Amino acid sequence: QLQLVESGGGLVQPGGSLRLSCAPSGFTLHYYGIGWFRQAPGKEREGVSCISSSGRNINYAHSVKGRFTISRDNAKNTVWLQMNSLKPEDTAVYYCAATWVEVTTTSCPTEADFTSWGQGTQVTVSS
């Protein structure tokens, strides 16, 4: 099974920023759509954002739109999630995942469509 590795999590004060990275272990991301998900304590995992293999199609959850930016550089084989204006409710373990299913202009594939996952990186927003 293909593996992804997330990095960049940490502790940040409300209003601060973090940039998460997602890189594959032993394969190229070039042909995959990538999604970012998060799971807060006691809550179900939720989708945050997704980007198509080309980078042309991008979607965000309502709760992060305008604050988070997803991007990718296929030459560097990396996807990023820039998180600005962080709030305590953004505290969660963040996961990236890869899918063959098309990311459209209006929606992300379902969580079940993402077949390769990372281990997650903890993001804590607290003063």
Side-chain angles (χ1 to χ4, degrees), residues 19-39:
R19 188 173 82 154
L20 305 184
S21 298
C22 172
S25 175
F27 69 100
T28 178
L29 286 179
H30 185 79
Y31 302 107
Y32 293 86
I34 300 297
W36 283 98
F37 296 79
R38 67 185 181 186
Q39 188 167 22

Side-chain angles (χ1 to χ4, degrees), residues 17-72:
S17 298
L18 283 174
R19 188 173 82 154
L20 305 184
S21 298
C22 172
S25 175
F27 69 100
T28 178
L29 286 179
H30 185 79
Y31 302 107
Y32 293 86
I34 300 297
W36 283 98
F37 296 79
R38 67 185 181 186
Q39 188 167 22
K43 294 188 176 181
E44 292 190 356
R45 189 159 56 190
E46 63 173 349
V48 174
S49 182
C50 64
I51 186 168
S52 62
S53 58
S54 67
R56 282 194 290 268
N57 296 339
I58 288 174
N59 297 286
Y60 297 99
H62 209 62
S63 58
V64 307
K65 197 172 290 187
R67 300 188 297 122
F68 290 12
T69 302
I70 192 171
S71 61
R72 70 188 297 160

Side-chain angles (χ1 to χ4, degrees), residues 3 5 15 27 33 43 49 62 70 79 98 105 114 119 122:
Q3 277 266 275
V5 180
F27 69 100
K43 294 188 176 181
S49 182
H62 209 62
I70 192 171
V79 174
T105 56
F114 288 85
Q119 303 280 357
Q122 176 70 47

Side-chain angles (χ1 to χ4, degrees), residues 85-101:
S85 303
L86 282 162
K87 305 175 181 180
E89 51 263 44
D90 294 318
T91 295
V93 178
Y94 283 71
Y95 302 88
C96 66
T99 180
W100 284 109
V101 177

